[in-house]
Amino acid sequence: MSRDATVVGGGVAGLVAAARLAEAGADVTLYERRPEVGGRVRTETADGFTLDRGFQVLFTSYPAVAAELDAADLDVRRFAPGATICRPGSRSTLSDPLRDPRGAIPSLLNDEVSFSDKLRTLALRYDLSKRGESDFFVGPDASIREYLRDWGFADDYVENFVEPFYGGITLDRTLSTSKHVFEYTFRAMSRGAIGVPAEGMAAIPETLAARAREAGATIETGEDVESVRTAGQGRIPFRTGAADAEGATVELADGSTHETDAVVVAATPPEARRLTGVESIPTEGVPNVTGWYTLPAGESFETGKRILLNAADDSPNAVVPMSEVAPEYAPDDRALLAATFLGEEPLDRPADALRDDVRDTLAAWYPERDFAGLETLDVHRIRFAQFAQPPGVHADLPNPDDPEGPVVLAGDYTEWSSIQGALESGRTAADAAGEYL
């Protein structure tokens, strides 16, 4: 391979595609409209704090993570399995006894979930562990709530644990998301850990960008792409193959053009649809609001590095003691908390109102503590945190080679909304683009 490839978009998917194409011998140029790569996986620093752009985590057992990243190099700080279920005056641990023996007794004594549902959870874990990778995201679909009802789980289990826990994963506390997402992530959690890189989630795209550059790719940031045109009347016959393909022209916002043999469009879903005309690209987004808060460093939140789930209310959905999990995220004399809010309404709520919800909620969970000093560091209001994943959506997602000519798609919207989906789509797109090179 010695031809030219262009990647539009420097998120996780685009960076994997660029790295793989460059490693295969292509001359690769990647254009990213932002000043930095990463797409939705970004990190900010402020006054010694590390703030990911929205609360995000890495599932270490995702197959594409093993294929494209090195968790050891990322220095991942791991959450303990399970969560702490909270309501006014009550906190209780629910963990995976197979991976967290120290949490077995507290989990057994947890009265938020019945003993039969705890056994049913282990049975579900065993059932999913036997499935192969190709057995997921296929076949009949249903909502997560319907799926759990079919398994026989009680309403208390669903309301006290699954709603806030999977509300954080799918950004949908109503559990109307596809059961396929539940099955895949549930298996991933039973096989590995959830964590964050010590330097923040941006370490993931930064690692991929370094890999792409080392392979010879050129990454141009601050460059917006206006259009992608194929040969002839803007299009060439579908999947003509390298021998007949006449290439494509990438036009930048400044009017300059780049002639190339193949294009990987790894832009955001709305932008990818605009550039390629592929109508099956999903553009309905699910929002997320993450508030970042600080307190003077003091006594532990006693979570054992677990997420605090709000079983009594949905504002906030969960509170995460980030500096207990990843001490590098905060100065030594401060504690860092992340609080997540779901749905449309928090997008427009004042920051002070969100902070008051967090302060009042913590005070109810820890009545012996004083949270008057809780301070807001930042509030991230993200209108498109994931694409919507109702039952059946994955069967209608676009294929990477749906655009005509030597243009392919890369993005989690060709797989499922996750870092796994983004990483895997980058590999698939590189393979598809390689047919034109």
Side-chain angles (χ1 to χ4, degrees):
M1 184 185 294
S2 61
R3 304 182 78 185
D4 184 281
T6 301
V7 178
V8 180
V12 169
L15 291 167
V16 171
R20 283 185 166 265
L21 285 166
E23 288 165 353
D27 295 324
V28 179
T29 301
L30 182 150
Y31 295 110
E32 166 55 45
R33 67 181 181 86
R34 294 182 181 275
E36 71 287 326
V37 297
R40 283 173 281 169
V41 184
R42 307 204 309 277
T43 301
E44 302 170 359
T45 57
D47 299 325
F49 292 93
T50 297
L51 312 179
D52 294 323
R53 182 69 177 168
F55 175 62
Q56 302 183 54
V57 294
L58 179 68
F59 286 62
T60 62
S61 66
Y62 279 161
V65 169
E68 308 297 342
L69 297 165
D70 188 330
D73 288 346
L74 291 174
D75 200 11
V76 175
R77 299 290 182 256
R78 290 167 167 79
F79 289 85
T84 300
I85 300 175
C86 303
R87 59 178 70 252
S90 172
R91 303 186 306 276
S92 58
T93 296
L94 187 63
S95 187
D96 179 350
L98 301 180
R99 292 190 301 123
D100 180 27
R102 288 184 297 179
I105 298 302
S107 296
L108 182 64
L109 299 175
N110 187 318
D111 60 5
E112 296 275 5
V113 177
S114 70
F115 182 69
S116 60
D117 277 339
K118 292 168 188 173
L119 292 178
R120 197 169 283 110
T121 301
L122 292 176
L124 174 61
R125 185 184 193 274
Y126 176 72
D127 178 77
L128 295 176
S129 71
K130 297 185 298 181
R131 298 190 190 181
E133 193 71 13
S134 61
D135 295 332
F136 292 88
F137 295 97
V138 295
D141 202 358
S143 71
I144 294 174
R145 188 175 298 277
E146 292 168 332
Y147 175 76
L148 295 174
R149 185 181 301 122
D150 290 343
W151 261 86
F153 285 101
D155 290 343
D156 285 349
Y157 175 84
V158 174
E159 293 168 4
N160 297 340
F161 176 67
V162 183
E163 281 185 7
F165 191 82
Y166 265 85
I169 292 175
T170 66
L171 309 182
D172 171 26
R173 192 160 171 146
T174 70
L175 304 182
S176 58
T177 299
S178 163
K179 73 167 188 175
H180 295 322
V181 176
F182 178 91
E183 291 177 320
Y184 197 91
T185 53
F186 193 95
R187 185 191 67 156
M189 285 185 286
S190 70
R191 289 184 166 187
I194 295 175
V196 293
E199 295 183 358
M201 289 293 286
I204 295 171
E206 289 169 1
T207 297
L208 293 171
R211 172 184 160 191
R213 290 189 178 102
E214 184 177 355
T218 299
I219 297 177
E220 301 283 357
T221 57
E223 293 284 2
D224 200 2
V225 171
E226 178 63 28
S227 68
V228 175
R229 302 191 307 273
T230 52
Q233 298 298 318
R235 298 287 185 186
I236 65 175
F238 179 63
R239 304 295 290 166
T240 56
D244 301 315
E246 298 179 34
T249 300
V250 175
E251 180 183 4
L252 303 181
D254 63 7
S256 61
T257 60
H258 179 81
E259 303 298 324
T260 187
D261 296 301
V263 181
V264 175
V265 174
T268 64
E271 185 67 0
R273 181 187 282 195
R274 183 188 72 81
L275 290 171
T276 65
V278 176
E279 294 296 323
S280 59
I281 296 175
T283 56
E284 180 185 353
V286 180
N288 172 245
V289 173
T290 299
W292 293 95
Y293 305 96
T294 183
L295 286 164
E299 61 183 285
S300 168
F301 280 86
E302 301 171 351
T303 68
K305 297 185 178 181
R306 293 184 180 86
I307 296 172
L308 295 159
L309 301 180
N310 192 344
D313 195 4
D314 62 358
S315 185
N317 178 71
V319 177
V320 186
M322 288 300 300
S323 54
E324 291 188 8
V325 176
E328 298 85 353
Y329 270 50
D332 292 339
D333 61 341
R334 305 295 293 179
L336 176 65
L337 304 174
T340 57
F341 302 85
L342 308 179
E344 298 284 342
E345 191 263 347
L347 290 169
D348 299 312
R349 286 192 71 199
D352 287 350
L354 297 175
R355 180 207 58 208
D356 290 348
D357 280 2
V358 175
R359 183 183 59 205
D360 294 346
T361 298
L362 289 173
W365 294 347
Y366 296 85
E368 72 281 6
R369 299 272 299 272
D370 180 9
F371 294 98
L374 186 75
E375 299 176 6
T376 303
L377 289 168
D378 204 350
V379 177
H380 294 156
R381 305 173 192 269
I382 304 171
R383 294 189 178 275
F384 198 116
Q386 300 180 9
F387 68 82
Q389 299 180 96
V393 67
H394 303 102
D396 296 325
L397 294 179
N399 292 314
D401 58 5
D402 275 357
E404 295 182 11
V407 179
V408 298
L409 297 172
D412 62 358
Y413 50 84
T414 66
E415 298 279 345
W416 64 288
S417 196
S418 63
I419 288 177
Q420 162 68 21
L423 291 169
E424 181 67 15
S425 75
R427 179 195 64 78
T428 303
D431 290 345
E435 295 184 22
Y436 296 101
L437 302 176

